Amino acid sequence: MSSKIIILMGVSDNGKSTLVIAVFSGVSIMSHVNDSGFWLVGKYLGLTEKQTFKSWTVMTTILALTSFTIITILSLLV
């Protein structure tokens, strides 16, 4: 359904690229227990689940907000 809307709106290739990155930014913000990286980081660094959850949440939130900010600026320029 959304692909039909994008086609009807006539979104450029650059617009499609920024849209994909923006969607990824939102998806990554609260990935935790289902993400294998969560468990790898916790075990590799010797953290408890509580410590890993705190650090992983902060890290993914910073990553998502930073990438969303950058893509917002890029969408205004492209």
Side-chain angles (χ1 to χ4, degrees):
M1 177 68 171
S2 61
S3 62
K4 291 179 184 178
I5 293 171
I6 291 171
I7 292 170
L8 291 174
M9 290 177 60
V11 178
S12 67
D13 288 339
N14 290 335
K16 291 174 189 173
S17 300
T18 55
L19 183 61
V20 168
I21 297 170
V23 168
F24 170 74
S25 297
V27 170
S28 67
I29 196 163
M30 287 295 285
S31 69
H32 53 282
V33 182
N34 291 332
D35 191 344
S36 60
F38 173 86
W39 297 105
L40 289 171
V41 168
K43 296 295 180 187
Y44 183 73
L45 297 176
L47 302 172
T48 65
E49 286 181 29
K50 185 176 181 180
Q51 292 170 325
T52 307
F53 185 75
K54 285 182 180 180
S55 63
W56 192 261
T57 302
V58 170
M59 188 264 311
T60 56
T61 302
I62 291 170
L63 173 71
L65 294 176
T66 302
S67 63
F68 186 75
T69 302
I70 291 169
I71 203 64
T72 301
I73 293 168
L74 283 175
S75 71
L76 296 173
L77 300 174
V78 176

